[in-house]
Amino acid sequence: MTTHAPLQTARIRYSRRLRSPLAAVCCALLIGGPAATAAAVQPAARTQMRGTLVSAEKLYTLATPADVVTELAAAGFAGATVRHGVIAYRLVYRTVDVHGLPTTASGLLVLPLTGERPIQAVSYAHGTGVHKDDSPSMRRGEFLSAPVVAHAAAGAAGVAPDYLGMGKGPGPHPWMDIGSETTASLDMLRAARAFAPRTGHVLEREVQVTGFSQGASAALGLGRALEAGGDRWFRLGALAPVSGAYDFGGTELPALFGGDVDAKSGAVYAAYTLVAFNRLHPIYDSPHEVFEKEYADDVEELFDGAHTGAQLMAGTPRAVGELLTDHGQELMEHPTGAFADALRTTDAVCTDWVPDAPVRLYMATGDEQAVTANTTQCRSALRENGVKAPVVDVGAVDHQASRHAGSNVAATPSIVRWFGALRGR
């Protein structure tokens, strides 16, 4: 049995703030992002400290498998794959921002209390949140952290980046930016590897990678980086993204206007898309150009990391048609310039590499947020490159009245089992 001595600097405080169910449903989701992988273009002087551990804080211990089952059930997740109690830490580590400059980020590391000392990591990339606390290391016993706990309770090291600007990270979150999602994920793995020996564990070379919604594309970005030799130690072992908007510009954006996406979700994602992309790839000079006057003065503030999901829901209209000016809708339906360039990078997440590791794509028929044509497109793109990527339809499972969120709940135990079988454990 592995013992876990508390860190001298550890604090056993933990916040269990509640979110409204509606906000959790709408903001559980979506995509990946527009920028090229930052790691590929960074000068060595800026990247040599990437993944260095800044701090580690013990968050909580679930001492027995029964405790884990109770924790997962409270978040709506099944506990059939639980074999170990777990211990959870928040790591803060060095990484780079969207411009390649030094910054810090945080993430959640969950380890089994029993089992083998050499341990394989499972990297989990979470879905969309708007408040900084909408991240795995800040939410105990909830939708965002439950998959990480489930993988650890099955005998893996659950590793989940909060992403830049989320959790304890400074600045705004560069939503849908695959480059920074990739560097934050890779550097979180490095920090976890540095910290693991303090708990009696050593992380093995192979990493199994999964992610939900926004995190599905982030998972593909990390998998691509690992297979390209982005780290000297880690290698990709398997890839299992869930309900991603992999073809964001070609499939997802049109769906916002075509009635295939829930109307309220469509308004939220249209707003987040324009605000987030404009921060990195200037699209408009004034929000009044793209947002109706009722929303133009306040919409950008809703995505500052300090507003909650409930505030976002209250501050956006019932449907995308009420949100955008004619110019804003034209821009979303027919992107040009920097916006179109950024979307081409986003839409290449399944098309510009050939995974050697086994891949499964998880989805739910009737997904009201990340339409399933995204998964069809991703499978086709991979197949054209000679990659067999079976699609696993998890069925009609809702979570808080959302089929999209339900896909994550239903896919998690299936992925835990598949990853475990690949590890031979």
Side-chain angles (χ1 to χ4, degrees):
M1 176 175 180
T2 303
T3 59
H4 296 262
L7 299 176
Q8 292 181 353
T9 58
R11 294 169 293 171
I12 313 180
R13 296 180 299 181
Y14 200 79
S15 173
R16 302 189 67 158
R17 300 180 181 90
L18 298 177
R19 294 179 296 167
S20 73
L22 184 59
V25 168
C26 185
C27 294
L29 78 147
L30 240 122
I31 22 256
T37 303
V41 296
Q42 303 315 319
R46 293 180 179 175
T47 61
Q48 61 183 353
M49 299 302 290
R50 283 180 46 192
T52 300
L53 187 66
V54 175
S55 66
E57 177 182 353
K58 179 182 173 183
L59 299 178
Y60 51 90
T61 300
L62 302 172
T64 68
D67 293 335
V68 177
V69 170
T70 299
E71 185 98 352
L72 293 177
F77 288 72
T81 59
V82 172
R83 295 188 290 113
H84 308 277
V86 300
I87 187 167
Y89 300 91
R90 180 189 298 119
L91 306 185
V92 176
Y93 58 95
R94 301 190 189 281
T95 187
V96 290
D97 66 13
V98 294
H99 306 294
L101 299 175
T103 189
T104 58
S106 59
L108 178 67
L109 172 64
V110 186
L111 296 166
L113 286 170
T114 55
E116 300 180 26
R117 295 169 67 89
I119 190 171
Q120 194 163 333
V122 171
S123 178
Y124 172 78
H126 67 87
T128 295
V130 292
H131 194 281
K132 282 182 176 289
D133 287 354
D134 294 334
S135 48
S137 82
M138 305 298 288
R139 300 284 189 189
R140 177 183 172 184
E142 294 191 21
F143 187 84
L144 287 158
S145 57
V148 195
V149 171
H151 283 286
V159 183
D162 292 334
Y163 305 142
L164 295 185
M166 300 293 281
K168 296 296 185 180
H173 170 50
W175 186 63
M176 305 191 318
D177 179 50
I178 291 175
S180 66
E181 291 168 353
T182 299
T183 53
S185 299
L186 186 56
D187 292 342
M188 176 63 189
L189 279 171
R190 291 166 171 158
R193 183 187 174 208
F195 175 74
R198 304 187 194 182
T199 70
H201 289 294
V202 175
L203 295 192
E204 297 176 348
R205 293 178 66 86
E206 282 200 349
V207 180
Q208 296 170 318
V209 178
T210 182
F212 166 64
S213 197
Q214 173 188 357
S217 287
L220 285 164
L222 175 60
R224 177 173 53 192
L226 290 171
E227 288 219 331
D231 185 81
R232 294 180 179 179
W233 175 255
F234 292 114
R235 298 292 181 267
L236 180 64
L239 186 59
V242 183
S243 300
Y246 312 108
D247 187 31
F248 183 49
T251 297
E252 189 66 25
L253 289 188
L256 300 184
F257 299 94
D260 295 322
V261 173
D262 168 73
K264 180 66 177 182
S265 299
V268 169
Y269 293 128
Y272 209 170
T273 298
L274 288 172
V275 171
F277 272 77
N278 192 61
R279 287 171 179 163
L280 300 183
H281 315 277
I283 301 168
Y284 58 82
D285 294 323
S286 166
H288 287 268
E289 296 174 19
V290 294
F291 299 111
E292 292 285 0
K293 61 182 179 180
E294 181 179 352
Y295 305 101
D297 289 335
D298 302 318
V299 67
E300 291 182 327
E301 291 185 7
L302 293 174
F303 301 100
D304 62 1
H307 285 74
T308 65
Q311 290 172 316
L312 172 64
M313 299 298 283
T316 49
R318 295 168 297 178
V320 66
E322 302 172 21
L323 174 74
L324 301 179
T325 63
D326 290 343
H327 174 64
Q329 182 162 335
E330 174 67 18
L331 183 63
M332 293 283 285
E333 292 189 296
H334 305 286
T336 59
F339 190 26
D341 291 342
L343 288 172
R344 276 190 285 273
T345 301
T346 304
D347 294 353
V349 71
C350 294
T351 65
D352 64 351
W353 68 299
V354 181
D356 289 327
V359 181
R360 287 184 181 178
L361 304 174
Y362 286 76
M363 52 153 278
T365 299
D367 192 318
E368 81 288 356
Q369 295 184 30
V371 294
T372 56
N374 286 287
T375 300
T376 301
Q377 189 276 342
C378 184
R379 178 183 59 182
S380 297
L382 291 170
R383 185 166 51 199
E384 288 177 5
N385 288 333
V387 177
K388 183 179 180 181
V391 172
V392 180
D393 188 338
V394 299
V397 179
D398 289 345
H399 176 75
Q400 296 182 349
S402 169
R403 183 70 54 80
H404 182 65
S407 69
N408 194 33
V409 171
T412 293
S414 177
I415 295 170
V416 170
R417 291 188 185 97
W418 183 47
F419 281 178
L422 291 174
R423 295 194 301 267
R425 298 170 186 171

